[in-house]
Amino acid sequence: MKRKLPLFCLAALLSASLHAAELGELDTEQLGPMQQNQSALVVDIRTPQEWQATGLIPGSHKLQSFDADGKFDQEKWLADLEKLKTSPDQPVVLVCRSGNRSAKVGKMLSEQPGMAKVYHLNNGIQSWIRSGRPVAPDCLASACN
């Protein structure tokens, strides 16, 4: 009986380490190459008003995380994210305004099974814009033609 307990503990620790990953931070210099070389999925989790005000990182996808009341529907958000992914091991990079929301959502995401490659853009889209990188306008399909 004494031998089974330590083996059980070791198995539990190994299992936990297989599921939990750390949230990585990227700076603006690292994001472009990650998009191109690793087909990273860039997900902008800001609000529609924020998308309109600043535009988006080219090639990113809009997937609002918190609603107007500050609530987060984790189950729905995760399901919507899965629809955007092209492969199970695709890196996911989260973007918000300053890096605070993306760090919170990224921490939750990195704790999900199968989400080993989760990052967030350090200092958010503000750092992207300050570094002089391009943004794409957020517009309705009819307004962008």
Side-chain angles (χ1 to χ4, degrees), residues 63-123:
L63 187 56
Q64 185 176 353
S65 57
F66 297 95
D67 67 17
D69 297 324
K71 294 183 180 157
F72 179 60
D73 184 344
Q74 180 174 326
E75 189 174 315
K76 180 184 181 322
W77 191 86
L78 289 170
D80 290 343
L81 177 68
E82 282 301 319
K83 293 175 191 172
L84 294 173
K85 292 178 69 177
T86 58
S87 70
D89 63 339
Q90 182 180 24
V92 176
V93 181
L94 302 174
V95 177
C96 69
R97 184 181 63 82
S98 64
N100 291 326
R101 284 173 285 177
S102 60
K104 288 177 186 173
V105 174
K107 183 177 180 337
M108 173 277 303
L109 188 58
S110 68
E111 293 170 351
Q112 300 301 308
M115 296 301 279
K117 300 177 183 175
V118 180
Y119 305 87
H120 82 106
L121 182 61
N122 195 26
N123 297 312

Side-chain angles (χ1 to χ4, degrees), residues 125-140:
I125 197 156
Q126 290 178 333
S127 66
W128 183 266
I129 293 169
R130 276 194 307 268
S131 69
R133 306 225 180 250
V135 291
D138 176 46
C139 50
L140 302 172

